[in-house]
Amino acid sequence: MNAQKRLAIFERLAKAIPNPTTELEYTTTFELLIAVILSAQATDKGVNIATRKLFKVANTPQAILDLGLEGLESYIKTIGLYHAKAQNVLKCCAQLLALHGGEVPDTREALEALAGVGRKTANVILNTAFGHPTIAVDTHLFRVGNRTKLATGKTVLEVEQRFLSTTPKQYLHDAHHLLILHGRYTCTARNPKCGECCIVDLCEFHDKQLQPVKPPAGN
DNA sequence: ATCCCGAGGG
DNA sequence: CCCTCTGGAT
């Protein structure tokens, strides 16, 4: 795909999505970190319902540790994978206190060393909390990248590297949220709304019988 | 490659 | 019913 077409796609997305930021509710970087950990394979809507109650009671590493495993689970039961997530969140909180004075670190290495934090979550924190031009490739970006051919690849890492190397500089920071919101509301996994899509005419996927784009399992 | 796992949508 | 949702750890 040539650079003009790429730029045109991002310009249209930016026009259609005036506020490209996360829909997770948070008031501190710590809250954002916990919300993003909980958001794995879950809808942000469901995460917000849980964290609204959780953060009201506990929104510091020590306060969450004080809840204990079953206490924390009681707040996040309605989210999928709750047992594994509760364990990870507790360990993550302990790590924050032991290694970072209770603060959220701002480097990829330190973030990925935290329990429950992998490359995708680290990319979200670096972008959303610290303003770094990272692109977190989740199920939405993987699908949208491959469908539009903005960034193709068999693995999320491949797709991330293509996005990073080809996205127009002025859209590097907002690309992640522009693409995720486009994927969530228009370029949906099932029954994509091509009829109301602002980039149909620029998209390879529209009106073609292509294989469904499924995200790879694991890494 | 497999497990974790609830809720909402179609 | 089946699919999907801002994945990560083993």
Side-chain angles (χ1 to χ4, degrees):
Chain A
M1 181 185 306
N2 64 49
Q4 276 108 346
K5 185 169 174 184
R6 223 171 262 290
L7 181 59
I9 289 176
F10 279 103
E11 284 175 342
R12 292 215 203 149
L13 290 177
K15 190 173 178 185
I17 303 170
N19 187 26
T21 187
T22 181
E23 294 185 333
L24 292 171
E25 297 171 8
Y26 68 100
T27 62
T28 65
T29 302
F30 175 72
E31 286 187 0
L32 175 65
L33 175 63
I34 300 306
V36 177
I37 291 174
L38 294 178
S39 73
Q41 301 291 279
T43 61
D44 62 342
K45 221 177 250 182
V47 172
N48 287 336
I49 290 172
T51 56
R52 253 171 240 152
K53 299 182 216 168
L54 173 63
F55 293 157
K56 200 169 175 184
V57 175
N59 77 332
T60 64
Q62 187 59 57
I64 287 184
L65 280 171
D66 290 342
L67 293 175
L69 181 60
E70 291 183 7
L72 177 55
E73 283 180 345
S74 71
Y75 287 96
I76 66 172
K77 275 259 168 141
T78 53
I79 306 176
L81 317 179
Y82 68 88
H83 183 64
K85 287 176 184 176
Q87 292 187 96
N88 282 336
V89 166
L90 289 177
K91 184 172 179 186
C92 177
C93 287
Q95 289 175 299
L96 290 178
L97 287 171
L99 305 173
H100 304 290
E103 299 295 306
V104 178
D106 64 351
T107 66
R108 174 182 304 286
E109 293 73 20
L111 284 166
E112 289 188 11
L114 298 170
V117 180
R119 187 177 183 86
K120 179 258 166 185
T121 297
N123 277 330
V124 173
I125 301 301
L126 289 171
N127 180 290
T128 306
F130 299 114
H132 295 206
T134 58
I135 296 183
V137 175
D138 60 3
T139 181
H140 295 299
L141 271 80
F142 186 83
R143 182 179 67 250
V144 174
N146 277 297
R147 280 183 179 171
T148 60
K149 301 206 181 304
L150 274 173
T152 59
K154 305 181 297 298
T155 68
V156 293
L157 193 56
E158 263 179 45
V159 172
E160 179 186 330
Q161 287 166 346
R162 298 233 164 104
F163 268 127
L164 284 174
S165 62
T166 60
T167 299
K169 273 181 251 160
Q170 63 268 46
Y171 289 107
L172 211 44
H173 179 266
D174 287 342
H176 167 68
H177 286 114
L178 288 172
L179 293 161
I180 195 172
L181 292 170
H182 180 64
R184 181 176 300 166
Y185 294 115
T186 307
C187 194
T188 48
R190 282 186 297 177
N191 308 324
K193 302 175 174 63
C194 299
E196 50 188 79
C197 175
C198 65
I199 56 172
V200 253
D201 54 313
L202 301 173
C203 178
E204 306 281 341
F205 182 76
H206 172 58
D207 213 40
K208 293 181 182 172
Q209 324 281 43
L210 298 181
Q211 297 294 331
V213 180
K214 292 199 173 180
N219 272 341

Coordinates of all heavy atoms in Angstrom, one line a residue, chain A residues 24 34-48 76-85 88 116 120-121 124 137-143 156 180 184 189 214-219, chain B residues 2-8, chain C residues 3-9:
Chain A
L24 N -11.6 2.5 28.9 CA -11.5 2.0 30.3 C -11.6 3.2 31.2 O -11.0 4.3 30.9 CB -10.2 1.3 30.5 CG -10.0 0.0 29.8 CD1 -8.6 -0.5 29.9 CD2 -11.0 -1.1 30.3
I34 N -4.2 -1.7 36.3 CA -5.1 -2.8 36.8 C -6.2 -3.0 35.8 O -6.5 -4.2 35.5 CB -5.6 -2.5 38.2 CG1 -4.5 -2.3 39.2 CG2 -6.6 -3.6 38.6 CD1 -3.5 -3.4 39.3
A35 N -6.8 -2.0 35.3 CA -7.9 -2.1 34.4 C -7.4 -2.8 33.1 O -8.1 -3.7 32.5 CB -8.5 -0.7 34.1
V36 N -6.2 -2.5 32.6 CA -5.7 -3.1 31.4 C -5.4 -4.6 31.6 O -5.7 -5.4 30.8 CB -4.5 -2.3 30.8 CG1 -4.0 -3.0 29.6 CG2 -4.9 -0.9 30.5
I37 N -4.9 -4.9 32.8 CA -4.6 -6.3 33.1 C -5.9 -7.1 33.1 O -6.0 -8.2 32.5 CB -3.9 -6.5 34.5 CG1 -2.5 -5.9 34.4 CG2 -3.9 -7.9 34.9 CD1 -1.8 -5.9 35.7
L38 N -7.0 -6.5 33.7 CA -8.3 -7.2 33.8 C -8.9 -7.3 32.4 O -9.8 -8.1 32.2 CB -9.2 -6.4 34.7 CG -8.7 -6.4 36.2 CD1 -9.7 -5.6 37.1 CD2 -8.6 -7.9 36.7
S39 N -8.6 -6.4 31.5 CA -9.3 -6.3 30.2 C -8.9 -7.5 29.2 O -9.5 -7.5 28.1 CB -9.0 -5.0 29.5 OG -7.7 -4.9 29.0
A40 N -8.0 -8.3 29.6 CA -7.6 -9.4 28.7 C -8.8 -10.3 28.4 O -9.4 -10.9 29.3 CB -6.5 -10.2 29.3
Q41 N -9.1 -10.5 27.1 CA -10.2 -11.3 26.7 C -11.5 -11.0 27.4 O -12.3 -11.8 27.7 CB -9.9 -12.8 26.9 CG -8.6 -13.2 26.2 CD -8.8 -13.3 24.7 OE1 -9.4 -14.3 24.2 NE2 -8.4 -12.3 24.0
A42 N -11.7 -9.7 27.6 CA -12.9 -9.2 28.3 C -13.3 -7.9 27.6 O -12.5 -7.2 27.0 CB -12.7 -9.0 29.7
T43 N -14.6 -7.5 27.7 CA -15.0 -6.2 27.2 C -14.7 -5.1 28.1 O -14.8 -5.3 29.4 CB -16.5 -6.2 26.9 OG1 -17.2 -6.4 28.1 CG2 -16.9 -7.3 25.9
D44 N -14.3 -3.9 27.7 CA -14.0 -2.8 28.6 C -15.3 -2.4 29.4 O -15.2 -2.0 30.5 CB -13.5 -1.6 27.8 CG -14.5 -1.1 26.8 OD1 -15.4 -1.8 26.5 OD2 -14.3 0.0 26.3
K45 N -16.4 -2.6 28.8 CA -17.7 -2.4 29.5 C -17.8 -3.2 30.8 O -18.1 -2.7 31.9 CB -18.9 -2.7 28.6 CG -20.0 -1.6 28.7 CD -21.1 -2.0 27.7 CE -21.1 -1.0 26.5 NZ -22.2 -1.3 25.6
G46 N -17.5 -4.5 30.6 CA -17.5 -5.4 31.8 C -16.5 -5.0 32.8 O -16.7 -5.1 34.0
V47 N -15.3 -4.7 32.3 CA -14.2 -4.3 33.2 C -14.6 -3.0 34.0 O -14.4 -3.0 35.2 CB -12.9 -4.0 32.4 CG1 -11.8 -3.4 33.3 CG2 -12.4 -5.3 31.8
N48 N -15.2 -2.1 33.3 CA -15.6 -0.8 34.0 C -16.6 -1.1 35.1 O -16.5 -0.5 36.2 CB -16.2 0.2 33.0 CG -15.1 0.8 32.1 OD1 -13.9 0.8 32.5 ND2 -15.5 1.2 30.9
I76 N -14.2 -9.1 40.9 CA -14.0 -9.3 39.4 C -14.5 -10.6 38.9 O -14.2 -11.0 37.8 CB -12.4 -9.2 39.1 CG1 -11.7 -10.4 39.7 CG2 -11.9 -7.9 39.6 CD1 -10.2 -10.4 39.3
K77 N -15.4 -11.3 39.7 CA -16.0 -12.5 39.2 C -16.7 -12.4 37.9 O -16.8 -13.4 37.2 CB -17.0 -13.0 40.3 CG -16.3 -13.8 41.4 CD -16.5 -15.3 41.2 CE -15.6 -16.0 42.1 NZ -15.9 -17.2 42.8
T78 N -17.3 -11.3 37.7 CA -18.1 -11.1 36.4 C -17.2 -11.0 35.2 O -17.8 -10.9 34.1 CB -19.0 -9.9 36.6 OG1 -18.2 -8.8 36.9 CG2 -20.1 -10.1 37.6
I79 N -15.9 -10.9 35.4 CA -15.0 -10.8 34.2 C -14.4 -12.2 34.0 O -14.2 -12.9 34.9 CB -13.8 -9.8 34.5 CG1 -14.3 -8.5 35.0 CG2 -12.9 -9.7 33.3 CD1 -13.2 -7.5 35.4
G80 N -14.2 -12.5 32.8 CA -13.7 -13.8 32.4 C -12.3 -14.0 33.0 O -11.6 -13.0 33.3
L81 N -11.9 -15.2 33.2 CA -10.5 -15.6 33.6 C -10.2 -14.9 35.0 O -9.0 -14.6 35.3 CB -9.5 -15.1 32.6 CG -9.8 -15.4 31.1 CD1 -8.7 -14.8 30.2 CD2 -10.0 -16.8 30.9
Y82 N -11.2 -14.9 35.9 CA -11.0 -14.0 37.1 C -10.0 -14.6 38.1 O -9.3 -13.8 38.7 CB -12.4 -13.9 37.8 CG -12.9 -15.1 38.3 CD1 -12.6 -15.5 39.6 CD2 -13.8 -15.9 37.6 CE1 -13.2 -16.7 40.2 CE2 -14.3 -17.1 38.1 CZ -14.0 -17.5 39.4 OH -14.5 -18.6 39.9
H83 N -9.9 -15.9 38.1 CA -8.9 -16.5 39.1 C -7.5 -16.2 38.8 O -6.7 -15.7 39.6 CB -9.2 -18.0 39.3 CG -8.3 -18.6 40.3 ND1 -8.4 -18.3 41.6 CD2 -7.3 -19.5 40.2 CE1 -7.5 -19.0 42.3 NE2 -6.8 -19.7 41.5
A84 N -7.2 -16.4 37.5 CA -5.8 -16.1 37.1 C -5.5 -14.6 37.2 O -4.4 -14.2 37.5 CB -5.6 -16.6 35.6
K85 N -6.5 -13.8 36.8 CA -6.3 -12.4 36.8 C -6.1 -11.9 38.3 O -5.3 -11.0 38.5 CB -7.5 -11.7 36.2 CG -7.5 -11.8 34.7 CD -8.7 -11.1 34.1 CE -8.7 -11.3 32.6 NZ -10.0 -10.8 31.9
N88 N -2.6 -12.7 39.4 CA -1.7 -11.8 38.7 C -1.7 -10.4 39.3 O -0.6 -9.8 39.5 CB -1.9 -11.8 37.2 CG -1.4 -13.0 36.5 OD1 -0.5 -13.7 36.9 ND2 -2.0 -13.3 35.3
G116 N 1.1 -10.6 34.9 CA -0.1 -10.3 34.2 C 0.1 -9.2 33.1 O -0.8 -8.9 32.4
K120 N 1.5 -6.6 25.0 CA 0.3 -5.8 24.6 C -0.1 -4.8 25.7 O -0.3 -3.6 25.5 CB -0.8 -6.7 24.2 CG -2.1 -5.9 23.9 CD -3.1 -5.9 25.0 CE -4.2 -4.9 24.8 NZ -5.0 -4.9 26.0
T121 N -0.1 -5.3 27.0 CA -0.5 -4.4 28.1 C 0.6 -3.4 28.3 O 0.3 -2.2 28.5 CB -0.6 -5.3 29.4 OG1 -1.7 -6.2 29.2 CG2 -0.9 -4.4 30.6
V124 N 0.1 -0.6 25.9 CA -1.0 0.3 26.2 C -0.6 1.3 27.3 O -0.9 2.5 27.2 CB -2.3 -0.5 26.7 CG1 -3.4 0.4 27.2 CG2 -2.8 -1.4 25.6
V137 N -1.0 -4.3 19.7 CA -1.8 -5.1 18.8 C -2.6 -6.1 19.5 O -2.1 -7.0 20.1 CB -0.9 -5.7 17.7 CG1 -1.8 -6.7 16.8 CG2 -0.2 -4.7 16.9
D138 N -3.9 -5.8 19.6 CA -4.8 -6.8 20.3 C -5.6 -7.5 19.2 O -5.3 -7.4 18.0 CB -5.7 -6.0 21.2 CG -6.5 -5.0 20.5 OD1 -6.4 -4.9 19.3 OD2 -7.3 -4.2 21.2
T139 N -6.7 -8.1 19.6 CA -7.5 -8.8 18.6 C -8.1 -7.9 17.5 O -8.2 -8.2 16.4 CB -8.7 -9.6 19.3 OG1 -9.5 -10.2 18.3 CG2 -9.6 -8.6 20.1
H140 N -8.4 -6.6 17.9 CA -8.9 -5.6 17.0 C -7.9 -5.2 16.0 O -8.2 -5.1 14.8 CB -9.5 -4.4 17.7 CG -10.7 -4.8 18.6 ND1 -11.9 -5.3 18.1 CD2 -10.9 -4.7 19.9 CE1 -12.7 -5.5 19.1 NE2 -12.2 -5.1 20.2
L141 N -6.7 -4.8 16.4 CA -5.7 -4.3 15.5 C -5.2 -5.4 14.6 O -4.9 -5.2 13.4 CB -4.5 -3.7 16.3 CG -4.7 -2.2 16.5 CD1 -5.6 -1.9 17.7 CD2 -3.4 -1.4 16.6
F142 N -5.2 -6.6 15.1 CA -4.7 -7.7 14.3 C -5.7 -7.9 13.1 O -5.4 -8.1 12.0 CB -4.7 -9.0 15.1 CG -4.1 -10.2 14.4 CD1 -2.7 -10.3 14.3 CD2 -4.9 -11.1 13.8 CE1 -2.2 -11.4 13.6 CE2 -4.4 -12.2 13.1 CZ -3.0 -12.3 13.0
R143 N -7.0 -7.9 13.5 CA -8.1 -8.0 12.5 C -8.1 -6.9 11.5 O -8.1 -7.1 10.3 CB -9.4 -8.2 13.2 CG -10.6 -8.4 12.2 CD -11.9 -8.6 13.0 NE -12.3 -7.4 13.6 CZ -12.3 -7.2 14.9 NH1 -11.9 -8.2 15.8 NH2 -12.8 -6.1 15.5
V156 N 1.0 -11.3 16.1 CA 0.8 -9.9 16.5 C 2.0 -9.1 16.5 O 2.0 -7.9 16.2 CB 0.2 -9.9 17.9 CG1 -1.2 -10.5 18.0 CG2 1.1 -10.6 18.9
I180 N -8.4 0.6 17.2 CA -9.2 -0.3 18.1 C -10.7 0.2 18.1 O -11.6 -0.7 18.1 CB -8.6 -0.3 19.6 CG1 -9.2 -1.5 20.3 CG2 -8.9 0.9 20.3 CD1 -8.6 -1.7 21.6
R184 N -13.8 -2.0 17.0 CA -14.8 -2.3 18.0 C -16.2 -2.0 17.5 O -17.2 -2.7 17.7 CB -14.6 -1.6 19.3 CG -15.6 -1.9 20.4 CD -15.2 -1.2 21.7 NE -13.9 -1.6 22.2 CZ -13.2 -1.0 23.1 NH1 -13.7 0.1 23.6 NH2 -12.1 -1.5 23.5
A189 N -15.7 -8.2 14.3 CA -15.2 -9.5 14.0 C -16.2 -10.2 13.1 O -15.9 -10.8 12.1 CB -14.9 -10.3 15.2
K214 N -8.4 -14.6 12.0 CA -8.5 -15.0 13.4 C -7.1 -14.7 14.0 O -6.1 -15.0 13.5 CB -8.8 -16.5 13.5 CG -10.2 -16.8 13.1 CD -10.6 -18.2 13.6 CE -12.1 -18.4 13.4 NZ -12.6 -19.7 13.9
P215 N -7.2 -14.1 15.2 CA -5.9 -13.9 15.9 C -5.2 -15.2 16.3 O -5.9 -16.2 16.6 CB -6.4 -13.1 17.2 CG -7.8 -13.5 17.4 CD -8.3 -13.7 16.0
P216 N -3.9 -15.2 16.3 CA -3.2 -16.4 16.7 C -3.3 -16.7 18.1 O -3.5 -15.8 18.9 CB -1.7 -16.0 16.3 CG -1.7 -14.6 16.4 CD -3.0 -14.1 16.0
A217 N -3.3 -18.0 18.5 CA -3.3 -18.3 19.9 C -2.0 -18.1 20.5 O -0.9 -18.3 19.9 CB -3.7 -19.8 20.0
G218 N -2.0 -17.7 21.8 CA -0.7 -17.5 22.5 C 0.1 -16.4 21.9 O -0.3 -15.5 21.3
N219 N 1.5 -16.7 21.9 CA 2.4 -15.7 21.3 C 2.9 -16.3 20.0 O 3.9 -16.1 19.6 CB 3.6 -15.5 22.2 CG 3.3 -14.3 23.2 OD1 2.4 -13.6 23.0 ND2 4.0 -14.3 24.3
Chain B
dT2 P -3.6 -28.0 21.4 OP1 -4.0 -29.4 21.3 OP2 -4.3 -27.0 20.5 O5' -3.8 -27.6 22.9 C5' -2.9 -28.1 23.9 C4' -3.1 -27.5 25.2 O4' -2.4 -26.2 25.3 C3' -4.6 -27.2 25.5 O3' -5.0 -27.7 26.7 C2' -4.7 -25.6 25.5 C1' -3.3 -25.2 25.9 N1 -2.8 -23.9 25.5 C2 -2.2 -23.0 26.4 O2 -2.0 -23.3 27.5 N3 -1.8 -21.8 25.9 C4 -2.0 -21.4 24.6 O4 -1.6 -20.3 24.2 C5 -2.6 -22.3 23.7 C7 -2.8 -21.9 22.2 C6 -3.0 -23.5 24.2
dC3 P -6.5 -27.8 27.2 OP1 -6.7 -29.2 27.8 OP2 -7.3 -27.3 26.1 O5' -6.5 -26.8 28.4 C5' -5.7 -27.0 29.6 C4' -5.6 -25.7 30.3 O4' -5.0 -24.7 29.5 C3' -7.0 -25.1 30.7 O3' -7.1 -25.1 32.1 C2' -7.0 -23.7 30.2 C1' -5.5 -23.4 29.8 N1 -5.3 -22.5 28.7 C2 -4.6 -21.3 28.8 O2 -4.2 -21.0 29.9 N3 -4.5 -20.5 27.7 C4 -5.0 -20.9 26.6 N4 -4.8 -20.1 25.5 C5 -5.7 -22.1 26.4 C6 -5.9 -22.9 27.5
dC4 P -8.5 -25.0 32.8 OP1 -8.5 -25.7 34.1 OP2 -9.6 -25.3 31.8 O5' -8.6 -23.4 33.1 C5' -7.7 -22.8 34.0 C4' -7.8 -21.3 33.9 O4' -7.3 -21.0 32.6 C3' -9.2 -20.8 33.9 O3' -9.5 -20.2 35.2 C2' -9.2 -19.7 32.8 C1' -7.8 -19.7 32.2 N1 -7.8 -19.6 30.7 C2 -7.1 -18.6 30.1 O2 -6.5 -17.8 30.8 N3 -7.1 -18.5 28.8 C4 -7.8 -19.4 28.0 N4 -7.8 -19.3 26.7 C5 -8.5 -20.5 28.7 C6 -8.5 -20.5 30.0
dC5 P -10.9 -20.6 35.9 OP1 -10.8 -20.0 37.2 OP2 -11.1 -22.1 35.7 O5' -12.0 -19.9 35.0 C5' -12.1 -18.5 35.1 C4' -13.1 -18.0 34.2 O4' -12.6 -17.8 32.8 C3' -14.4 -18.8 34.1 O3' -15.5 -18.0 34.2 C2' -14.3 -19.4 32.6 C1' -13.6 -18.2 31.9 N1 -13.0 -18.5 30.7 C2 -12.8 -17.5 29.7 O2 -13.3 -16.4 29.9 N3 -12.2 -17.8 28.5 C4 -11.8 -19.0 28.3 N4 -11.1 -19.3 27.2 C5 -11.9 -20.1 29.3 C6 -12.5 -19.8 30.4
dG6 P -16.9 -18.7 34.9 OP1 -16.6 -19.2 36.2 OP2 -17.4 -19.6 33.8 O5' -17.9 -17.5 35.0 C5' -17.4 -16.3 35.6 C4' -17.9 -15.1 34.9 O4' -17.2 -14.9 33.7 C3' -19.4 -15.1 34.5 O3' -19.9 -13.8 34.8 C2' -19.4 -15.4 33.0 C1' -18.1 -14.7 32.6 N9 -17.4 -15.3 31.4 C8 -17.2 -16.7 31.2 N7 -16.5 -16.9 30.1 C5 -16.4 -15.6 29.5 C6 -15.8 -15.3 28.3 O6 -15.2 -16.0 27.4 N1 -15.8 -13.9 28.1 C2 -16.4 -13.0 29.0 N2 -16.3 -11.7 28.6 N3 -17.0 -13.3 30.1 C4 -16.9 -14.7 30.3
dA7 P -21.5 -13.6 34.9 OP1 -21.7 -12.7 36.0 OP2 -22.1 -14.9 34.7 O5' -21.7 -12.7 33.5 C5' -21.1 -11.5 33.5 C4' -21.2 -10.9 32.1 O4' -20.5 -11.7 31.2 C3' -22.7 -10.9 31.5 O3' -22.9 -9.6 31.0 C2' -22.6 -12.0 30.5 C1' -21.2 -11.9 30.0 N9 -20.7 -13.1 29.4 C8 -20.7 -14.4 29.9 N7 -20.1 -15.3 29.1 C5 -19.7 -14.6 28.1 C6 -18.9 -15.0 26.9 N6 -18.6 -16.2 26.6 N1 -18.6 -14.0 26.0 C2 -19.0 -12.7 26.3 N3 -19.7 -12.3 27.4 C4 -20.0 -13.3 28.2
dG8 P -24.4 -9.1 30.8 OP1 -24.5 -7.9 31.6 OP2 -25.4 -10.2 31.0 O5' -24.4 -8.7 29.3 C5' -23.4 -8.0 28.7 C4' -23.3 -8.2 27.2 O4' -22.7 -9.5 27.0 C3' -24.6 -8.2 26.5 O3' -24.6 -7.3 25.5 C2' -24.8 -9.7 26.0 C1' -23.3 -10.1 25.9 N9 -23.1 -11.5 26.1 C8 -23.5 -12.4 27.1 N7 -23.2 -13.6 26.9 C5 -22.5 -13.6 25.7 C6 -21.8 -14.7 25.1 O6 -21.8 -15.9 25.4 N1 -21.2 -14.3 23.9 C2 -21.2 -13.0 23.4 N2 -20.6 -12.8 22.3 N3 -21.8 -12.0 24.1 C4 -22.4 -12.4 25.2
Chain C
dC3 P -18.1 -21.2 16.7 OP1 -17.7 -21.4 15.3 OP2 -17.4 -21.8 17.9 O5' -18.0 -19.6 17.0 C5' -18.8 -18.7 16.1 C4' -18.7 -17.3 16.6 O4' -19.4 -17.1 17.8 C3' -17.2 -16.9 16.8 O3' -17.0 -15.6 16.2 C2' -17.1 -16.8 18.4 C1' -18.6 -16.4 18.7 N1 -19.0 -16.8 20.1 C2 -19.5 -15.8 21.0 O2 -19.5 -14.6 20.6 N3 -19.9 -16.2 22.2 C4 -19.9 -17.5 22.6 N4 -20.3 -17.8 23.8 C5 -19.4 -18.5 21.7 C6 -19.0 -18.1 20.5
dT4 P -15.6 -15.1 15.9 OP1 -15.6 -14.4 14.6 OP2 -14.6 -16.1 16.2 O5' -15.5 -14.0 17.1 C5' -16.4 -12.9 17.1 C4' -16.3 -12.2 18.4 O4' -16.8 -13.0 19.5 C3' -14.9 -11.8 18.9 O3' -14.8 -10.4 18.7 C2' -14.8 -12.2 20.3 C1' -16.2 -12.6 20.7 N1 -16.4 -13.7 21.7 C2 -17.0 -13.4 22.9 O2 -17.4 -12.3 23.2 N3 -17.1 -14.5 23.7 C4 -16.7 -15.8 23.5 O4 -16.9 -16.7 24.3 C5 -16.1 -16.0 22.2 C7 -15.5 -17.4 21.9 C6 -15.9 -14.9 21.4
dC5 P -13.3 -9.7 19.0 OP1 -13.3 -8.5 18.1 OP2 -12.2 -10.6 19.0 O5' -13.6 -9.2 20.5 C5' -14.7 -8.3 20.8 C4' -14.8 -8.1 22.3 O4' -15.0 -9.4 22.9 C3' -13.5 -7.6 23.0 O3' -13.9 -6.6 24.0 C2' -12.9 -8.8 23.6 C1' -14.2 -9.6 24.0 N1 -14.0 -11.0 24.3 C2 -14.6 -11.6 25.4 O2 -15.2 -10.9 26.2 N3 -14.4 -12.9 25.6 C4 -13.8 -13.7 24.7 N4 -13.7 -15.0 24.9 C5 -13.2 -13.1 23.5 C6 -13.3 -11.8 23.4
dT6 P -13.4 -5.1 23.8 OP1 -13.7 -4.4 25.0 OP2 -13.8 -4.6 22.5 O5' -11.8 -5.1 23.6 C5' -10.9 -5.6 24.7 C4' -9.5 -5.8 24.1 O4' -9.1 -4.5 23.6 C3' -8.5 -6.3 25.0 O3' -7.5 -7.1 24.4 C2' -7.8 -5.0 25.5 C1' -7.9 -4.2 24.2 N1 -7.9 -2.7 24.4 C2 -6.7 -2.0 24.1 O2 -5.8 -2.5 23.7 N3 -6.8 -0.7 24.4 C4 -7.9 0.0 24.9 O4 -7.9 1.2 25.1 C5 -9.1 -0.8 25.2 C7 -10.3 -0.1 25.7 C6 -9.0 -2.1 25.0
dG7 P -7.7 -8.7 24.2 OP1 -7.4 -9.2 22.9 OP2 -9.0 -9.0 24.8 O5' -6.6 -9.3 25.2 C5' -5.2 -9.1 24.9 C4' -4.4 -9.5 26.1 O4' -4.9 -10.8 26.6 C3' -2.9 -9.6 25.9 O3' -2.3 -9.1 27.1 C2' -2.7 -11.1 25.7 C1' -3.9 -11.7 26.6 N9 -4.4 -13.0 26.1 C8 -4.6 -13.3 24.8 N7 -5.2 -14.5 24.6 C5 -5.4 -14.9 25.9 C6 -5.9 -16.2 26.4 O6 -6.4 -17.1 25.7 N1 -5.9 -16.2 27.8 C2 -5.4 -15.2 28.6 N2 -5.5 -15.4 29.9 N3 -4.9 -14.1 28.2 C4 -4.9 -14.0 26.8
dG8 P -0.7 -9.2 27.2 OP1 -0.3 -8.0 27.9 OP2 -0.1 -9.5 25.9 O5' -0.5 -10.5 28.2 C5' -1.2 -10.4 29.4 C4' -0.9 -11.6 30.2 O4' -1.6 -12.8 29.7 C3' 0.6 -12.0 30.2 O3' 1.0 -12.3 31.6 C2' 0.7 -13.3 29.4 C1' -0.7 -13.9 29.6 N9 -1.2 -14.6 28.4 C8 -1.1 -14.3 27.1 N7 -1.6 -15.2 26.3 C5 -2.1 -16.2 27.2 C6 -2.8 -17.4 26.9 O6 -3.1 -17.8 25.8 N1 -3.1 -18.1 28.0 C2 -2.8 -17.7 29.3 N2 -3.1 -18.5 30.3 N3 -2.1 -16.6 29.6 C4 -1.8 -15.9 28.5
dA9 P 2.5 -12.7 31.9 OP1 2.9 -12.1 33.2 OP2 3.4 -12.6 30.7 O5' 2.3 -14.3 32.3 C5' 1.4 -14.6 33.3 C4' 1.3 -16.1 33.5 O4' 0.7 -16.8 32.3 C3' 2.7 -16.8 33.6 O3' 2.6 -17.7 34.7 C2' 2.9 -17.5 32.3 C1' 1.5 -17.8 31.8 N9 1.3 -17.8 30.3 C8 1.8 -16.8 29.5 N7 1.5 -17.1 28.2 C5 0.8 -18.2 28.3 C6 0.1 -19.0 27.3 N6 0.1 -18.7 26.0 N1 -0.5 -20.1 27.6 C2 -0.6 -20.4 28.9 N3 0.0 -19.8 30.0 C4 0.6 -18.7 29.6

